[in-house]
């Protein structure tokens, strides 16, 4: 029965989904995924792996993608708040290299659908955040690619509050810029 509302943006393929939330005196219920509703919204893929990660304030994970086993991702925040970013790396896309970001939170319950061949990452704005997402291909550890979160040629406007200390993994500190990727 769950109905979803779908928003799009100027990068074709990206979708922001808001599920129907059924609140009552106990709390709330919502369907976080329903094949039929999402298929009707053009998300008609088989999700084969669910992931969850937890991060403290200022953690920035990304910008990641898998090279030969690209994954569509349906991402959401279970607790806390993040700014979530996707960068278009689809070969031949008219928005190649363009980024889009959206605030995802336990509060707004929004989900972000990111098709294959986008780089993906997020920064945690709350004290703590739990991030859960569905993927349409499995993890291939030797197939990881990445982009520098602060690549000036992408120009992501991360909403980093004054004085926020960033925590970025060694691996994520080493990625190069989009100009170093072969298209
Ligand atoms: C991604 C992944 C990781 N792992 C293991 C490998 C490491 O031992 C540990 C942490 O991995 P990593 O540091 O790559 O985790 P994140 O930095 O959160 O990576 C993710 O960050 C951004 C936001 C993404 O969209 C991708 O799903 C993914 O790249 O989990 C697995 O066992 N399976 C997996 O699917």
């Amino acid at each position: 029965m769950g109905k979803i509302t779908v928003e799009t943006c100027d990068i074709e393929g990206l979708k922001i989904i808001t599920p129907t939330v059924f609140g009552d005196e106990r709390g709330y219920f919502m369907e976080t995924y329903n094949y039929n509703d999402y298929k009707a919204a053009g998300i008609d893929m088989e999700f084969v792996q669910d992931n969850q990660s937890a991060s403290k304030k200022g953690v920035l994970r990304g910008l990641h993608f898998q090279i030969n086993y690209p994954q569509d991702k349906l991402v959401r925040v279970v607790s806390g708040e993040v700014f979530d970013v996707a960068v278009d790396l689809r070969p031949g896309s008219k928005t190649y290299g363009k980024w889009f970001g959206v605030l995802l939170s336990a509060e707004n319950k929004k989900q972000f659908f990111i098709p294959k061949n986008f780089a993906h990452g997020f920064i945690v704005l709350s004290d703590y955040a739990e991030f859960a997402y569905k993927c349409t291909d499995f993890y291939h550890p030797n197939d990881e690619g990445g982009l520098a979160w602060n690549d000036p040629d992408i120009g992501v406007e991360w909403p980093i509050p004054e004085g926020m200390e960033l925590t970025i993994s060694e691996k994520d500190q080493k990625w190069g810029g989009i100009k170093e990727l072969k298209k």
Side-chain angles (χ1 to χ4, degrees):
M1 173 185 167
K3 219 172 74 51
I4 58 175
T5 57
V6 183
E7 301 161 73
T8 54
C9 68
D10 57 0
I11 300 178
E12 182 274 331
L14 294 178
K15 299 176 197 290
I16 297 155
I17 292 117
T18 307
T20 299
V21 182
F22 300 93
D24 64 26
E25 71 284 355
R26 297 167 298 171
Y28 74 83
F29 178 93
M30 65 178 171
E31 294 180 5
T32 53
Y33 174 70
N34 175 305
Y35 175 73
N36 290 332
D37 292 338
Y38 286 65
K39 180 182 178 186
I43 300 172
D44 182 10
M45 301 90 178
E46 182 189 19
F47 292 101
V48 297
Q49 179 177 315
D50 279 9
N51 296 333
Q52 183 161 322
S53 65
S55 310
K56 65 184 181 184
K57 179 178 274 192
V59 165
L60 193 155
R61 295 176 185 254
L63 295 158
H64 304 152
F65 54 92
Q66 291 196 159
I67 302 161
N68 301 301
Y69 301 90
Q71 300 162 306
D72 303 278
K73 293 173 190 163
L74 180 62
V75 311
R76 66 193 179 95
V77 167
V78 178
S79 69
E81 180 181 50
V82 312
F83 183 71
D84 200 82
V85 170
V87 182
D88 189 354
L89 299 177
R90 295 171 296 187
S93 171
K94 62 181 184 348
T95 47
Y96 181 88
K98 220 168 133 56
W99 70 276
F100 177 80
V102 58
L103 279 173
L104 304 177
S105 68
E107 198 61 37
N108 72 22
K109 299 185 175 51
K110 286 183 186 282
Q111 302 176 358
F112 190 23
F113 175 73
I114 304 156
K116 290 182 175 64
N117 295 310
F118 277 75
H120 173 244
F122 63 86
I123 186 168
V124 177
L125 301 174
S126 48
D127 288 340
Y128 175 78
E130 289 180 292
F131 192 83
Y133 52 115
K134 307 179 82 68
C135 304
T136 57
D137 205 339
F138 299 105
Y139 176 55
H140 289 74
N142 303 323
D143 190 45
E144 268 204 309
L147 285 172
W149 63 278
N150 55 355
D151 178 4
D153 292 314
I154 302 171
V156 176
E157 293 164 23
W158 299 96
I160 300 173
E162 194 65 35
M164 176 187 265
E165 189 193 330
L166 293 184
T167 303
I168 301 172
S169 68
E170 284 290 306
K171 180 179 71 171
D172 286 350
Q173 292 180 39
K174 294 183 185 137
W175 297 117
I178 192 166
K179 284 189 171 159
E180 297 166 54
L181 290 184
K182 52 185 186 308
K183 274 200 177 181

